[in-house]
Amino acid sequence: MIYNLSKLDIHYIHKKTEENWGQFTIRFYDPENNIIEIGESIPCFVKRFNKQGLKVEEISERTSVPLEMVKEICK
């Protein structure tokens, strides 16, 4: 099931933001006041940078993901 968070009464810590290493995250409280964090997986944001035209070396430097892992994800 897919939910549209914008239609729910949610107390956000912050809406979608890009972390220093390039990952998009969102943080909010659940009904019991626990913090929920949702973030892109490593392959997701590495592939996003690759689609934007960054070279594997640039992606590795930007994200701190090891070069060999970036190469494996982008092949």
Side-chain angles (χ1 to χ4, degrees):
M1 183 178 293
I2 298 175
Y3 291 96
N4 184 342
L5 295 178
S6 66
K7 295 182 180 191
L8 301 174
D9 184 24
I10 294 177
H11 179 211
Y12 289 94
I13 297 167
H14 66 79
K15 294 193 177 184
K16 184 174 119 177
T17 189
E18 187 173 2
E19 302 293 346
N20 292 337
W21 55 91
Q23 179 188 38
F24 285 128
T25 61
I26 184 172
R27 292 179 182 90
F28 54 91
Y29 293 101
D30 73 5
E32 296 177 349
N33 221 30
N34 298 297
I35 295 174
I36 305 294
E37 175 185 77
I38 300 172
E40 292 177 291
S41 66
I42 292 173
C44 184
F45 67 88
V46 166
K47 287 177 185 178
R48 179 167 46 85
F49 284 131
N50 186 248
K51 287 179 185 175
Q52 291 174 0
L54 273 71
K55 297 176 183 173
V56 292
E57 295 81 8
E58 294 171 316
I59 296 169
S60 178
E61 184 176 327
R62 168 80 165 83
T63 64
S64 297
V65 175
L67 181 58
E68 290 306 314
M69 184 180 214
V70 172
K71 287 179 180 178
E72 184 66 28
I73 292 168
C74 293
K75 67 177 181 175

